[in-house]
Structure formats: structure tokens, C-alpha cells
Amino acid sequence: KAGVTQTPRYLIKTRGQQVTLSCSPISGHRSVSWYQQTPGQGLQFLFEYFSETQRNKGNFPGRFSGRQFSNSRSEMNVSTLELGDSALYLCASSYRQAETQYFGPGTRLLVL
Amino acid sequence: AQSVSQHNHHVILSEAASLELGCNYSYGGTVNLFWYVQYPGQHLQLLLKYFSGDPLVKGIKGFEAEFIKSKFSFNLRKPSVQWSDTAEYFCAVTGNNAGNMLTFGGGTRLMVKP
């Protein structure tokens, strides 16, 4: 079974731009969560989607948003990029909520 | 609010040495506990998990962890490390009412010298 895939793997943007990242969960998984990983703050939860509905949201500004499609694929969007948004963005999927999450390779975003 | 504390940020061991990485969490309800590992250049992989039952759980590659509820701890152990265990290890917790919101510890970088 294929794992979680994320596209693109690397991205360079400039301040003020917006970016959309994509995540395809493991086949059959309906829950998708997003995390931000930085050297300073570590791994932080962004949001979780299950059956196209946002179920939980972390402590991030409204510039960070996401959605989930009927095939469980998910996208996250960051508008008005700031330098501090440079990070590795990880997507994780699970069959249901409160089950083991499996992580993708991440999208490394660099904001210049 | 949930929080997870990993006491050791960097650990250096020689091959065949025993390993114990500490993890303490703060949460008021029932928890699910995880250890993930991130090898250099690779993505996060699940080592082991505890949901309920036997508090001593065994994972992949000879790792095990013990859930001690009274101490709010979930320490990771391995009797004899190998050079290939060099990686960053993350303890994580989610509450039963928190959906899939994982709270991670700060991570422990393990270097195993051959």
C-alpha cells in the first residue's frame, strides 16, 4: 500500500506570496492532519480534517487554512507568507480519528 | 492543555550500550502515547504506541516503552543500540477527546558511535 504523499517536496516563495501544499493520504484513510516542523518550535499541530470537515485546529493565525476533498486528499494554504513560515510541513493520515497517524515526507518551504 | 517533555536533547552512545529516553506528559484525561523516529533524510516513522492494556509495549527494531500512569511517563528503551539507530526520537501524546491532535515533545537526537 502506498504511503502518504505530499507535493511539492520543495518550494521557495517570497514574503507576501501565498502557497498551497497538497497531501494524498494512504488509501482508505479518511483523517488527514497537518503539522509544522521548525528547529525552534519543533513539531506543532496545525489542523485536522475528517470527512471533509475541520475537526481540530492548532494555535496558528488565520493565514493558515486547509480543506479536504471527498476523496480524502487535503490541501493547506498559507497566505501572505512571512519569513517565519519557513518550515517543513508534514501531513499525516489515519483511518479514523484517535488512531495511529502515518506521516508523509513533508514539503520544505523556504520564504525569502 | 497537553504538553510533552523530553528530558534529553542530545544523547551520544557507543554501539551495544543500553538506551533509555525519558518522556513525561501533562494531560488530564485518558491518553494515547507514541514514539516516532526520524532517521537522517527520512520522514517520521512510528516506533511504537500505547492505547490501552499492557503498559509495556514493544515496537519495531527492538525498541520498547513502558507507560507509568502514576508518573505520567512513557520512557523508550533499547537494551543494545546499533549505529543504525542514529536518529531523532519524538514522544507524542493525544487525548482520547482530542481527535488526532498530536502534541510532540521537543525530540532527542541520538548519535551512536560505531
Side-chain angles (χ1 to χ4, degrees):
Chain A
K1 196 182 259 191
V4 178
T5 58
Q6 294 186 243
T7 57
R9 294 293 310 278
Y10 302 92
L11 208 46
I12 300 175
K13 292 285 188 180
T14 56
R15 278 182 301 173
Q17 287 187 310
Q18 75 165 17
V19 67
T20 299
L21 312 180
S22 181
C23 171
S24 293
I26 292 171
S27 178
H29 284 193
R30 295 166 60 197
S31 174
V32 173
S33 299
W34 289 89
Y35 295 83
Q36 181 196 64
Q37 186 177 22
T38 60
Q41 300 297 317
L43 280 151
Q44 294 184 286
F45 172 80
L46 279 157
F47 26 66
E48 174 199 358
Y49 287 87
F50 182 77
S51 294
E52 302 177 66
T53 303
Q54 187 179 90
R55 300 294 175 142
N56 281 296
K57 190 177 192 313
N59 190 23
F60 279 82
R63 300 185 296 107
F64 291 80
S65 63
R67 58 178 175 168
Q68 186 180 32
F69 302 95
S70 59
N71 62 358
S72 295
R73 192 178 68 84
S74 176
E75 288 181 346
M76 68 163 280
N77 185 76
V78 188
S79 62
T80 320
L81 284 165
E82 300 177 0
L83 296 179
D85 296 334
S86 295
L88 181 66
Y89 289 90
L90 297 171
C91 171
S93 76
S94 65
Y95 179 66
R96 288 184 294 239
Q97 287 187 296
E99 290 194 352
T100 302
Q101 295 177 62
Y102 297 90
F103 284 81
T107 293
R108 190 166 293 280
L109 172 66
L110 177 62
V111 181
L112 301 175
Chain B
Q2 299 174 174
S3 67
V4 179
S5 175
Q6 292 182 240
H7 316 298
N8 312 100
H9 298 295
H10 293 90
V11 173
I12 301 174
L13 294 172
S14 298
E15 274 193 317
S18 64
L19 170 72
E20 180 159 3
L21 301 182
C23 172
N24 285 91
Y25 67 92
S26 171
Y27 187 72
T30 305
V31 294
N32 297 324
L33 296 153
F34 306 84
W35 276 97
Y36 283 90
V37 61
Q38 193 169 33
Y39 297 103
Q42 296 187 29
H43 59 276
L44 274 171
Q45 300 173 39
L46 179 70
L47 265 182
L48 47 78
K49 61 186 178 185
Y50 173 80
F51 280 20
S52 64
D54 188 343
L56 184 62
V57 292
K58 295 190 183 299
I60 61 171
K61 304 186 180 185
F63 286 90
E64 65 178 30
E66 185 175 11
F67 170 52
I68 303 179
K69 189 174 181 180
S70 61
K71 294 185 177 180
F72 298 90
S73 70
F74 190 56
N75 292 353
L76 181 71
R77 299 194 291 250
K78 186 171 184 178
S80 175
V81 295
Q82 301 172 318
W83 176 78
S84 58
D85 293 325
T86 294
E88 189 161 16
Y89 293 80
F90 295 92
C91 180
V93 62
T94 184
N96 267 354
N97 296 324
N100 272 355
M101 187 177 74
L102 279 170
T103 299
F104 283 89
T108 298
R109 286 188 185 272
L110 171 65
M111 179 183 293
V112 180
K113 298 185 295 184

